[in-house]
Amino acid sequence: MTKWSLRCEECSREWSLDVSFDLSDFKKLYYYCRKCRKNTYHIILGKVED
Ligand SMILES: [Zn+2]
């Protein structure tokens, strides 16, 4: 699993997501935002290094 840092385009909330695939080829990810309570576009900020 890799942790990715995402930022919601609508509310600017930053959070990290654990996924088993590589997001580095994507610029944006359409995903559920818990603050907006709907699917929104997220900017992929990069990998989170542990
Ligand atoms: Zn949001």
Side-chain angles (χ1 to χ4, degrees):
M1 297 289 264
T2 308
K3 225 175 224 182
W4 294 86
S5 185
L6 305 177
R7 184 168 66 222
C8 173
E9 280 202 326
E10 294 206 16
C11 69
S12 298
R13 184 174 79 103
E14 288 186 21
W15 55 285
S16 55
L17 174 71
D18 277 320
V19 290
S20 55
F21 48 93
D22 196 330
L23 294 179
S24 56
D25 290 338
F26 294 78
K27 287 197 173 76
K28 287 181 185 178
L29 185 69
Y30 196 61
Y31 208 83
Y32 185 79
C33 174
R34 290 211 305 238
K35 191 173 172 187
C36 297
R37 294 183 175 177
K38 62 178 183 180
N39 287 328
T40 63
Y41 282 105
H42 289 75
I43 298 164
I44 298 162
L45 300 173
K47 249 181 222 182
V48 177
E49 307 290 345
D50 290 320

